[in-house]
Amino acid sequence: MKITEKLQKAEREGRTFWSFEFFPPRTAQGLQNLYDRIERMRGLGPEFIDITWGAGGKNADLTSSLVQVCQETIGIECCMHLCCTEMPAEKVKEALVKAKAHGCQNILALRGDPVAGTSTWEPTPGGFHNAVDLVKYIHETHPGDFCVAVAGFPQGHPESPDTPEGRKQEIEWLKTKVEAGADFIFTQLFYDTEIFFDWVRRVRAAGITVPIIPGIMPIQNWEKFQKWVDREKIIVPDHFYEQLNPIKGDDEKVRQVGTKLVGDMCRAILANEEAGIKGLHIYTLNLEKGAKMLLTELGLEGRREAIAPLPWRPSLTPHRRGETIRPIFWANRVQSYLSRTDDWDEFPNGRWGDSRSPAYGDLDGYPVSIGINSKDAQELWGTPTTPSDISALFARFCRGELAKLPWSSQPPASETSVIQEKLTRMNEMGYHTINSQPAVDGVRSDDKVHGWGPPGGYIYQKAYLEFFVSPALLSPLIRRIERDPRITYYAVNRQGDLRTNTHSEGPNAVTWGVFPGKEIVQPTIVEAISFIAWKDEAFELGLQWAHLYPEGSPSRTLIEGVMNDSYLVNIVANDFKHGDAIFEPFLLDTTAAGKAVADVTATANGVVNGVVGSVKIPSIGFNKLPYHILLL
């Protein structure tokens, strides 16, 4: 969505908006850490984020990656900087094509700083002379595709003379940028509100009517504050120094006092009716705490999206904006799902085409990564040497005592709390869960735990569990499941031996919503073919965990053995009105489960012996898959 549309919506709703600026880090690890930080800071409620651009394409790949991940995976609207410095027209053209492909509809057009090592700005041969040229080029080559922002300088541009004539010339240049097609203005940072208000009056007097978004930099610590003040020659009111100088050696106190000072400044800006400022753009310096403290000081708390259109976060890239259904298996691996399905056949009417398409991404097409190094893994998960050690790790994750598992980079979802006790017990018994959802029978769409979709709707879910389990536990579990017609399941091992009790190859909707004036929406499904595609990744993640331990070590041997022997199982309790039905086959409240384990331990190998080869069963279509079917 274009930022101007977001600003108009915020004004109609009578609310203050805010946004964040980030810059590309210099290292790949820094980039990954920034993804995690942006994901967290998304919860602070920014209307959009702004990504800076290195001159001459410096860090251009990182900028493009940041924009892509933020639009596609994190699902937050981006504004991408684009500079004239060392950027011939071909590079600008390429940058705009990539931005459009990623669904980015907002560009901040800048002239940029002089080339490093020089003090005077010179145009690049074959490039643009100033931001006006860049604004015109964007609209000429991509008419209607981008909302274009430009920069404003309340204190005056560093290269402009600090005279009445210089200030007048600068306003004229700003007006020229707006007349060329600029849709709104970001300001350079400042700390003196009187300087800002005077500048706004002069901008409006010149006939410039586009929205102005003031740039605000929280005071993170004394050194960073002084660095930016000196670098940008920022005028700072005396009362800032009066309060900060006595405590400049204490970073925590500087941050607290600085937050109050900047908060007072922001309140004055938002309260000034003549200026008419409706929102703030926060220069984060890629730091989280300062921005969060400032929003808390202002009472601008992160808010749940007014309309969470689906129970998973929609992608903002053009070819996925209409996606309304996803297999549930990748719930905790969104980046992997988006990457591996990026080339699936286009989906009609919101449904993906046949996932048997040659374009269906396999494991070779996407680098599966556990996302943690050996040292950190051992600090987090220890060195398990027995099956009970692994069970204890999974149980701790369910209780919220572990931040992540190899199959989930985030803690359990809030709705997991509804079934936390039962999940913990399952894991202690050897059913190692990696995905789950409780049954939901018609809660309102604005429910804080289960709700999604527009107002006035009702949400339904079938209970779902996905877990690894040993063959010794699987066989008695299946016998109990098959006595309950409400439950369907799929079980597959690493070798591809598949068990199931369903005779339909079609999808089973496990989440749906009913809304006024709409068809029923079914955003989450279970289906055999997608499950087979997911199982490769699921086992690979487990093996990567094993390989974080030294070769021949007890932990590596144990985890490799578990991955090579276990089945990956998903079960659905189709009677969503009875939420506990899905747990009944696990005998969580009796000692019978322990007896069942003892009964089958001696014959655990019999499960594998049940394979009868590649059996074609046309009625369910599994003959189309290169996997064994186990007759039960």
Side-chain angles (χ1 to χ4, degrees):
M1 181 183 289
K2 293 179 178 178
I3 289 173
T4 47
E5 296 173 13
K6 285 180 163 286
L7 304 190
Q8 290 164 6
K9 185 173 185 290
E11 186 163 8
R12 286 196 304 270
E13 295 172 355
R15 57 179 172 82
T16 301
F17 67 85
W18 55 95
S19 54
F20 298 145
E21 179 175 285
F22 299 97
F23 63 85
R26 296 182 179 180
T27 66
Q29 185 60 51
L31 185 65
Q32 183 58 57
N33 291 339
L34 182 58
Y35 292 152
D36 295 339
R37 181 158 291 175
I38 293 173
E39 177 72 57
R40 291 196 304 273
M41 292 180 72
R42 186 185 190 278
L44 298 177
E47 203 69 38
F48 60 91
I49 64 172
D50 184 42
I51 308 293
T52 67
W53 182 273
K58 179 183 178 184
N59 294 335
D61 289 340
L62 288 179
T63 296
S64 185
S65 295
L66 259 173
V67 170
Q68 179 179 6
V69 171
C70 290
Q71 291 278 146
E72 182 178 66
T73 306
I74 300 177
I76 188 168
E77 209 72 58
C78 291
C79 177
M80 187 181 79
H81 288 211
L82 197 54
C83 298
C84 301
T85 304
E86 291 190 301
M87 289 289 287
E90 280 302 310
K91 281 191 174 182
V92 170
K93 178 181 178 181
E94 180 183 353
L96 291 172
V97 168
K98 284 185 177 180
K100 182 178 177 181
H102 299 330
C104 176
Q105 297 179 281
N106 306 284
I107 302 291
L108 172 55
L110 302 165
R111 190 206 68 178
D113 296 327
V115 175
T118 67
S119 57
T120 304
W121 194 89
E122 294 290 341
T124 299
F128 303 94
H129 287 72
N130 49 47
V132 174
D133 291 344
L134 187 52
V135 172
K136 289 179 179 177
Y137 178 82
I138 293 170
H139 285 306
E140 288 169 1
T141 57
H142 290 271
D145 288 343
F146 295 106
C147 170
V148 181
V150 292
F153 300 87
Q155 274 192 202
H157 192 279
E159 297 173 18
S160 297
D162 187 15
T163 63
E165 293 77 14
R167 288 190 286 273
K168 180 179 179 182
Q169 179 64 67
E170 199 165 293
I171 296 295
E172 290 175 359
W173 285 336
L174 181 59
K175 186 173 183 179
T176 303
K177 288 190 284 188
V178 172
E179 289 173 344
D183 297 290
F184 66 98
I185 300 165
F186 282 124
T187 79
Q188 180 59 283
L189 69 97
F190 60 89
Y191 290 110
D192 192 315
T193 55
E194 290 308 313
I195 290 175
F196 173 70
F197 292 143
D198 176 68
W199 176 80
V200 171
R201 282 191 290 269
R202 291 186 288 115
V203 167
R204 296 310 188 205
I208 300 171
T209 60
V210 298
I212 294 171
I213 307 179
I216 307 296
M217 184 174 285
I219 298 176
Q220 311 276 5
N221 61 48
W222 177 258
E223 289 183 0
K224 280 191 172 65
F225 171 64
Q226 277 300 103
K227 173 185 174 181
W228 280 93
V229 166
D230 293 341
R231 173 181 162 177
E232 304 297 331
K233 298 180 174 58
I234 304 299
I235 297 171
V236 180
D238 291 340
H239 72 277
F240 272 63
Y241 285 121
E242 289 169 2
Q243 296 187 49
L244 291 172
N245 269 322
I247 57 170
K248 61 184 180 182
D250 187 330
D251 280 350
E252 194 59 37
K253 286 185 178 178
V254 167
R255 185 182 283 119
Q256 292 172 359
V257 172
T259 297
K260 181 67 167 60
L261 290 167
V262 176
D264 290 342
M265 180 184 81
C266 292
R267 277 187 282 267
I269 291 170
L270 294 171
N272 189 300
E273 294 184 7
E274 180 187 10
I277 302 301
K278 306 297 184 182
L280 307 168
H281 185 59
I282 300 174
Y283 296 119
T284 69
L285 300 182
N286 287 4
L287 299 172
E288 182 175 1
K289 191 171 183 180
K292 186 174 183 179
M293 288 176 65
L294 177 59
L295 292 175
T296 300
E297 169 70 20
L298 294 171
L300 301 176
E301 298 180 358
R303 49 190 159 68
R304 187 177 180 275
E305 293 163 301
I307 297 178
L310 294 164
W312 35 266
R313 191 176 299 159
S315 174
L316 299 181
T317 50
H319 69 294
R320 301 194 81 117
R321 285 181 185 266
E323 182 182 9
T324 59
I325 294 178
R326 289 183 181 176
I328 197 172
F329 319 118
W330 281 272
N332 299 320
R333 298 275 299 171
V334 176
Q335 178 67 54
S336 172
Y337 169 76
L338 292 171
S339 297
R340 291 186 61 195
T341 62
D342 197 51
D343 293 325
W344 282 14
D345 291 345
E346 290 299 321
F347 51 96
N349 302 318
R351 283 297 309 275
W352 283 110
D354 191 343
S355 53
R356 299 184 191 89
S357 161
Y360 189 102
D362 68 24
L363 208 58
D364 294 333
Y366 175 72
V368 176
S369 174
I370 196 171
I372 192 172
N373 61 39
S374 179
K375 179 177 179 294
D376 291 343
Q378 292 185 43
E379 287 181 359
L380 184 62
W381 300 317
T383 52
T385 57
T386 66
S388 61
D389 290 341
I390 293 179
S391 296
L393 281 175
F394 278 80
R396 287 180 59 207
F397 179 74
C398 289
R399 290 193 295 266
E401 298 170 5
L402 276 182
K404 63 193 300 184
L405 284 176
W407 298 269
S408 178
S409 59
Q410 302 292 329
S414 59
E415 69 173 1
T416 303
S417 62
V418 177
I419 52 175
Q420 180 187 65
E421 183 179 340
K422 292 182 173 62
L423 287 177
T424 301
R425 179 69 180 129
M426 277 183 60
N427 282 282
E428 290 170 343
M429 294 167 65
Y431 306 98
H432 300 146
T433 57
I434 61 173
N435 198 356
S436 64
Q437 71 177 29
V440 173
D441 183 13
V443 302
R444 289 171 56 93
S445 58
D446 59 1
D447 182 84
K448 291 183 178 179
V449 176
H450 306 291
W452 54 271
Y458 291 87
I459 305 304
Y460 300 84
Q461 288 182 180
K462 297 176 183 177
Y464 172 81
L465 293 171
E466 186 178 337
F467 52 91
F468 289 104
V469 66
S470 68
L473 283 175
L474 178 64
S475 287
L477 175 66
I478 286 177
R479 286 197 293 271
R480 294 193 294 271
I481 286 175
E482 293 198 325
R483 290 196 291 265
D484 191 336
R486 299 172 297 178
I487 298 178
T488 52
Y489 77 91
Y490 293 101
V492 66
N493 62 12
R494 188 178 170 217
Q495 294 72 37
D497 304 320
L498 180 70
R499 295 179 166 207
T500 183
N501 66 343
T502 179
H503 298 286
S504 169
E505 66 176 310
N508 181 3
V510 293
T511 309
W512 65 99
V514 182
F515 306 100
K518 296 185 68 171
E519 296 178 348
I520 291 177
V521 180
Q522 310 177 167
T524 310
I525 61 170
V526 167
E527 62 174 351
I529 296 172
S530 296
F531 184 56
I532 292 298
W534 155 246
K535 73 94 181 171
D536 291 336
E537 184 170 338
F539 282 103
E540 173 64 19
L541 290 167
L543 290 173
Q544 286 192 15
W545 178 24
H547 293 168
L548 293 174
Y549 298 92
E551 187 173 0
S553 65
S555 294
R556 181 165 178 170
T557 301
L558 170 69
I559 300 168
E560 282 181 338
V562 169
M563 287 296 100
N564 287 327
D565 295 339
S566 291
Y567 276 75
L568 178 65
V569 183
N570 76 69
I571 67 175
V572 178
N574 294 288
D575 185 353
F576 59 89
K577 290 182 174 292
H578 295 86
D580 288 339
I582 199 166
F583 293 104
E584 291 174 7
F586 296 92
L587 308 176
L588 300 185
D589 300 322
T590 71
T591 59
K595 182 178 184 301
V597 175
D599 290 344
V600 299
T601 297
T603 58
N605 291 333
V607 175
V608 177
N609 294 335
V611 179
V612 297
S614 182
V615 180
K616 295 184 177 181
I617 309 178
S619 63
I620 59 174
F622 291 139
N623 56 304
K624 301 174 184 177
L625 294 171
Y627 296 100
H628 297 299
I629 301 299
L630 298 183
L631 297 182
L632 303 176

